[in-house]
Amino acid sequence: MLRGMATVSFYADDLEAAKTWYTEVLGVEPYYAVPGAYYEFRIGDYQHELGIINRKFAPAGAQNHPGGAILHWHVDNLRTTFDRLLALGAKEYDPITPRGDGDFITASVIDPFGNILGIMQNPHYLDILAKTQPA
């Protein structure tokens, strides 16, 4: 059934500002661009896709405020990443929170465009990564 995250899509009223902000956050330029409509970044160990879409192309009935599911991206240092996102203009949505036995730690922010960006230190992610890397 579900095989893995392929693309997560965020909407922005100011697409160019969102492209600039995410280029700064991610440290890479979008690899695919449709100016005025869509920018897509490939990021991380598995080159997952983060798409930034002009909000005028959002589905009918889409909300223009944070809510719904939170996709958490694994990061190596949650505190450093969280602080950096806040310094770049994001707002805290969910504070840094240990989960379960404390090995899983999550936080999330609202980007300057109204999207929830989740971050996580996740030992399961690191276990899977270790199994997929060449010896």
Side-chain angles (χ1 to χ4, degrees):
M1 188 166 158
L2 301 179
R3 303 251 339 252
M5 198 279 296
T7 302
V8 60
S9 298
F10 286 175
Y11 295 96
D13 291 318
D14 186 339
L15 185 66
E16 294 305 314
K19 175 190 149 232
T20 299
W21 194 81
Y22 273 96
T23 298
E24 173 70 18
V25 166
L26 302 171
V28 297
E29 293 283 333
Y31 84 96
Y32 182 76
V34 179
Y38 183 74
Y39 291 104
E40 189 168 279
F41 298 85
R42 285 193 178 153
I43 55 177
D45 300 303
Y46 298 104
Q47 296 292 284
H48 292 299
E49 295 173 354
L50 171 62
I52 309 296
I53 305 170
N54 187 319
R55 192 174 310 277
K56 72 181 181 181
F57 298 112
Q63 301 295 316
N64 194 15
H65 55 81
I70 301 173
L71 185 143
H72 289 92
W73 296 87
H74 174 79
V75 297
D76 292 325
N77 187 312
L78 192 116
R79 169 54 70 186
T80 299
T81 303
F82 188 70
D83 289 347
R84 182 169 180 262
L85 291 168
L86 296 177
L88 289 171
K91 305 290 184 222
E92 182 178 299
Y93 185 73
D94 190 27
I96 295 174
T97 306
R99 306 286 181 182
D101 61 8
D103 287 343
F104 296 85
I105 305 169
T106 66
S108 57
V109 299
I110 301 170
D111 73 13
F113 315 97
N115 302 290
I116 300 172
L117 176 62
I119 56 175
M120 180 177 203
Q121 281 183 223
N122 182 327
H124 174 71
Y125 180 90
L126 295 174
D127 289 344
I128 297 300
L129 181 62
K131 291 176 185 173
T132 61
Q133 297 300 309

